[in-house]
Amino acid sequence: MTPEDQEDTQPLLRPPDSAPRGRRVFLAVFAAALGPLSFGFALGYSSPAIPSLRRAAPPAPRLDNNAASWFGAIVTLGAAAGGVLGGWLVDRAGRKLSLLLCTVPFVTGFAVITAAQEMWMLLGGRLLTGLACGIASLVAPVYISEIAYPEVRGLLGSCVQLMVVTGILLAYLAGWVLEWRWLAVLGCAPPTFMLLLMCCMPETPRFLLTQHKRQEAMAAAQFLWGSEQVWEEPPVGVEHQGFHLAQLRHPGIYKPFIIGISLMVFQQLSGINAVMFYAESIFEEAKFKDSSLASVIVGTIQVLFTAVAAIIMDRAGRRLLLASSGVVMVFSASAFGAYFRLTQGGPSNSSHVDLLAPVSMEPTNASVELAWLAVGSMCLFTAGFAMGWGPIPWLLMSEIFPLHVKGVATGVCVLSNWLMAFLVTKEFSSLMEVLRPYGAFWLASAFCIVSVLFTLFCIPETKGKTLEQITAHFEGQ
């Protein structure tokens, strides 16, 4: 390693002798996490909106099966583009300004959907909200990881996924009482609130230091943490260093790249986005009368268990939660596939279960028991995902990359995630036709097995370490 390389890996922020006690960092995290809340709402919007649009009377556009598939999936294409744009913005405009800018396509997209009279307006609005989702899904974790101190970075970083699933649940609940237009109006509220709140929050001290704005960085640290850290000025020119393909020869770059992209791919191959996008359709396939209630139950479980994961993240560690999460998903996806395999036959297996009725009031026959196997499997899968593979890939993405390549590297990770989300979401219905529902879920179970092995052999533990210590680990220091 050359002297210049050694100089570049010096820490920008050295950990203080005692943990900072400032509380405004939690307010800043909440403001940034309104972005993930917005894109969670955008993800969940399709589930109640599609049935509403199928019932819509002229002049409102009506959806056939193909249009409904694109309405659910096109948001992920916009998000993939947003990941690329976000990677460019986060290094040039900064973390704070990037979050402020992503509110524009959020509000514009939902406004276009609200005014939609033609199908192209619906798809255009979804594409715009998807673009904002991609930017927010990249910038929010980076902003939060850079303002959080190590003792609570797992907790605060997990708030990204917690707000995403809260947004999905909010869309499900609001869909019970609001038609698709008013649901889109409600979607404008979280990004508008984020715009107002983020205007009062500072840029991250680490980014300000790379721009050699020492006084602003000290003021930001004072605001966030209530104390000034021990500062070390970064080398001159680090802000122009950027990313070059030749850097992929260095273990400090290629190792995080492999881990980050793999985490995003495995997250989508677990099948969770297909489950959430088509939650109601899946439960209809499972022969439940009140499929919308089942979707809300799944969303509630995801919120609760993501909150549990956030609370224990800095104690249990990332690797333990990822591995445990994967194991739970293997068994639950296999069990859900077994349900479909056992009920694929004839009408004798058809059963409708009222989720509001006590189990003891139902006839005790095999078909009802199989129906509750589907409920238990889906709930267990959701809980397992929420405990690990939901929040941790986004958290690790924001932790493992060096500052000078963070924009490009996180952009590639987000692009990988949303492209996989598009493929899974768009083709999930076709996959269920080709492999049958049981085959699709057994395939997801197989991918979960691979993800557990990847976690055990390839992912390092990052709890309690500063971002600079994590970078040094990959450099072999």
Side-chain angles (χ1 to χ4, degrees):
M1 182 178 289
T2 65
E4 289 80 5
D5 291 333
Q6 290 176 346
E7 193 177 31
D8 288 346
T9 59
Q10 291 297 315
L12 302 183
L13 290 176
R14 293 174 178 172
D17 295 332
S18 60
R21 303 298 179 193
R23 302 211 177 155
R24 290 176 184 167
V25 64
F26 296 97
L27 178 61
V29 167
F30 173 75
L34 287 173
L37 178 70
S38 303
F39 90 71
F41 190 92
L43 291 181
Y45 176 81
S46 63
S47 188
I50 287 174
S52 180
L53 281 163
R54 289 185 190 276
R55 300 189 302 266
R62 297 190 68 177
L63 298 182
D64 56 22
N65 289 337
N66 184 59
S69 174
W70 275 105
F71 186 79
I74 198 171
V75 69
T76 58
L77 281 183
V84 176
L85 178 59
W88 181 84
L89 276 175
V90 76
D91 279 340
R92 287 160 180 79
R95 285 59 162 148
K96 174 184 175 179
L97 183 57
S98 298
L99 283 171
L100 292 172
L101 290 174
C102 83
T103 62
V104 176
F106 264 132
V107 174
T108 304
F110 277 120
V112 170
I113 293 173
T114 302
Q117 301 294 327
E118 303 288 342
M119 179 57 60
W120 68 266
M121 295 181 71
L122 284 177
L123 297 182
R126 288 287 283 170
L127 195 64
L128 281 173
T129 56
L131 183 72
C133 288
I135 299 173
S137 66
L138 184 150
V139 182
V142 171
Y143 182 87
I144 291 171
S145 72
E146 291 187 6
I147 65 174
Y149 40 93
E151 292 80 3
V152 295
R153 195 175 60 242
L155 168 66
L156 299 183
S158 299
C159 288
V160 172
Q161 182 68 10
L162 178 60
M163 294 297 267
V164 171
V165 296
T166 300
I168 292 173
L169 179 60
L170 177 62
Y172 287 170
L173 292 173
W176 274 1
V177 295
L178 298 176
E179 290 295 310
W180 62 274
R181 287 193 195 275
W182 285 107
L183 199 59
V185 171
L186 180 62
C188 296
T192 302
F193 190 31
M194 181 177 76
L195 176 65
L196 298 175
L197 204 53
M198 277 303 299
C199 286
C200 305
M201 299 298 114
E203 180 56 88
T204 73
R206 282 182 171 87
F207 178 77
L208 291 170
L209 278 178
T210 63
Q211 304 300 303
H212 300 287
K213 297 179 179 178
R214 182 183 176 86
Q215 293 301 319
E216 291 92 331
M218 293 177 67
Q222 182 68 39
F223 177 90
L224 292 167
W225 302 323
S227 62
E228 295 177 4
Q229 305 295 291
V230 181
W231 300 98
E232 181 169 317
E233 194 73 22
V236 175
V238 71
E239 72 275 17
H240 303 298
Q241 200 172 9
F243 172 77
H244 306 286
L245 287 176
Q247 293 176 334
L248 288 175
R249 297 195 305 263
H250 303 300
I253 305 297
Y254 74 74
K255 287 182 180 179
F257 254 100
I258 293 172
I259 290 173
I261 293 173
S262 299
L263 285 170
M264 294 304 180
V265 170
F266 283 129
Q267 185 190 62
Q268 293 302 325
L269 289 179
S270 71
I272 187 64
N273 256 5
V275 170
M276 299 311 294
F277 275 128
Y278 297 109
E280 295 188 16
S281 301
I282 287 175
F283 273 91
E284 286 172 5
E285 184 73 21
K287 306 177 181 69
F288 288 95
K289 285 191 295 186
D290 198 343
S291 60
S292 61
L293 176 60
S295 300
V296 171
I297 291 173
V298 168
T300 303
I301 291 172
Q302 199 164 21
V303 170
L304 293 176
F305 280 88
T306 303
V308 172
I311 293 171
I312 67 175
M313 185 73 66
D314 290 304
R315 296 180 183 177
R318 284 63 157 158
R319 293 180 77 248
L320 176 61
L321 288 178
L322 268 181
S324 302
S325 168
V327 170
V328 170
M329 291 161 64
V330 167
F331 287 104
S332 55
S334 299
F336 199 70
Y339 165 79
F340 281 117
R341 181 69 179 88
L342 293 170
T343 58
Q344 71 171 358
S348 61
N349 286 330
S350 178
S351 59
H352 292 273
V353 176
D354 186 349
L355 293 179
L356 290 177
V359 179
S360 60
M361 294 179 65
E362 296 290 337
T364 57
N365 54 57
S367 61
V368 172
E369 291 176 0
L370 286 176
W372 279 104
L373 170 65
V375 174
S377 300
M378 185 63 74
C379 292
L380 188 61
F381 181 89
T382 304
F385 179 85
M387 288 290 290
W389 280 94
I392 295 178
W394 298 105
L395 174 60
L396 284 174
M397 179 196 74
S398 68
E399 292 180 325
I400 60 180
F401 294 110
L403 276 175
H404 65 279
V405 301
K406 185 165 280 189
V408 172
T410 53
V412 171
C413 289
V414 171
L415 176 64
S416 303
N417 185 286
W418 288 109
L419 283 178
M420 289 300 301
F422 171 75
L423 291 174
V424 171
T425 305
K426 186 71 175 68
E427 301 303 324
F428 185 67
S429 297
S430 301
L431 189 67
M432 291 183 74
E433 290 177 6
V434 173
L435 298 179
R436 308 296 294 271
Y438 64 86
F441 282 96
W442 284 346
L443 179 62
S445 178
F447 283 125
C448 290
I449 293 174
V450 179
S451 72
V452 171
L453 297 175
F454 179 79
T455 299
L456 296 176
F457 291 105
C458 301
I459 297 178
E461 184 55 71
T462 61
K463 72 169 182 177
K465 297 179 181 178
T466 66
L467 299 183
E468 291 74 26
Q469 288 170 339
I470 296 169
T471 298
H473 167 81
F474 286 113
E475 292 285 359
Q477 298 177 12

